[in-house]
Amino acid sequence: MLEVSELAVRYGAINAVRGISLSAAKGELITLLGANGAGKTSTLMCIAGALKATSGSVRLDGEDLTSAKPETVVRRGIATVPETRDVFPDLTVDENLTLGSYIRRSDAAGVAEDRARMFELFPRLAERAAQPAGTLSGGEQQMLVIARAMMSRPKVLLLDEPSLGLAPVIVDQIFAMIATLKASGLTIVLVEQNVAKALSVADRAYVMRLGRIAASGTADEIGAATDLGALYLGGER
Ligand SMILES: Nc1ncnc2c1ncn2[C@@H]1O[C@H](COP(=O)(O)OP(=O)(O)OP(=O)(O)O)[C@@H](O)[C@H]1O
Ligand SMILES: [Mg+2]
């Protein structure tokens, strides 16, 4: 379904991503692991259309999305939850969800159905539906940005470090929810630094190091790799 081929990203003289290839089949959850600066976010933002690739390609169901605009990427079925976890703070939780459904606003019945489904998946959001999003806790804001991304009814969900900075109990809830979304047939690309958690929900894993894929395999294979620590070591580029 999702096919990334020889993707490269440069920021001036910095080669952040140096020709990586990865794929995710329908319903598959792949995780992109790696140390700080490995190029995970750059890879995700390229798939999302928010960052221009220097070379390489991104395809969804065979369609080339390599230089598509972010809105086009969303319309084709790829939704993104960036590292920055931005909610619209002055809008209510409910209004934030409505904005997530922008591309399908003519489908009022479908949007209502998805809103109900998201409130069922995240009861904490339902309780706070009328509250300004800026008043939510960090964990609740993370839930909201995931729910908002789901309101575009994506085929593929890109998640950048959803557990970052959250208390362990909240992290458990977020991962339980990711597992629920996966069980519904959604294809997920999960960038994480929490290796154990990521591998617990992933089918397959890619370990990035200095802009390259240093290792890949099933979640079990990567979890059992004795050199996983070494793969994480940084270094000069
Ligand atoms: N806008 C930018 N301008 C210049 N260099 C950048 C920019 N964004 C990222 N980089 C560099 O590109 C490299 C890859 O960054 P990226 O954010 O993709 O890594 P990451 O794996 O997501 O790291 P982290 O785990 O810290 O989020 C880093 O060396 C970073 O300094
Ligand atoms: Mg990052």
Side-chain angles (χ1 to χ4, degrees):
M1 164 170 267
L2 180 71
E3 192 89 50
V4 172
S5 237
E6 297 296 323
L7 191 75
V9 182
R10 296 179 66 123
Y11 300 102
I14 297 172
N15 289 303
V17 180
R18 308 177 171 212
I20 69 159
S21 298
L22 51 88
S23 65
K26 181 167 169 20
E28 201 177 25
L29 193 161
I30 62 166
T31 182
L32 208 52
L33 307 172
N36 291 118
K40 307 179 299 293
T41 296
S42 302
T43 301
L44 221 57
M45 288 306 114
C46 250
I47 300 172
L51 188 62
K52 205 173 150 37
T54 312
S55 60
S57 68
V58 175
R59 287 172 175 277
L60 181 68
D61 292 329
E63 185 184 0
D64 192 350
L65 292 179
T66 313
S67 45
K69 294 194 185 76
E71 189 182 326
T72 308
V73 173
V74 174
R75 285 184 187 280
R76 293 296 182 273
I78 302 180
T80 307
V81 176
E83 219 172 5
T84 46
R85 205 178 285 168
D86 296 321
V87 298
F88 296 98
D90 300 332
L91 300 183
T92 65
V93 166
D94 202 43
E95 288 163 344
N96 269 269
L97 291 183
T98 302
L99 285 175
S101 65
Y102 175 78
I103 63 160
R104 30 193 297 263
R105 57 197 182 284
S106 58
D107 174 22
V111 169
E113 200 177 283
D114 287 358
R115 188 190 308 273
R117 182 172 161 241
M118 286 305 123
F119 281 149
E120 197 179 305
L121 193 57
F122 300 97
R124 291 172 82 112
L125 295 184
E127 290 162 20
R128 292 161 178 78
Q131 200 169 305
T135 64
L136 298 179
S137 72
E140 290 158 0
Q141 292 193 9
Q142 180 64 67
M143 293 173 192
L144 178 57
V145 288
I146 295 174
R148 189 179 63 199
M150 288 303 297
M151 292 299 289
S152 66
R153 213 177 256 197
K155 298 183 207 166
V156 181
L157 182 67
L158 312 177
L159 292 171
D160 198 350
E161 305 214 28
S163 76
L164 194 70
L166 301 180
V169 56
I170 305 294
V171 171
D172 287 348
Q173 288 173 14
I174 301 271
F175 273 88
M177 222 219 59
I178 292 171
T180 303
L181 293 174
K182 172 178 160 51
S184 75
L186 186 68
T187 304
I188 302 174
V189 181
L190 171 66
V191 165
E192 259 302 334
Q193 297 230 13
N194 189 332
V195 176
K197 276 282 171 197
L199 292 176
S200 74
V201 291
D203 296 303
R204 289 187 300 115
Y206 295 86
V207 183
M208 283 191 79
R209 183 171 180 239
L210 301 177
R212 291 201 170 89
I213 303 285
S216 64
T218 64
D220 289 344
E221 285 165 359
I222 295 296
T226 49
D227 57 349
L228 196 58
L231 290 170
Y232 264 77
L233 292 177
E236 298 304 312
R237 60 179 68 232

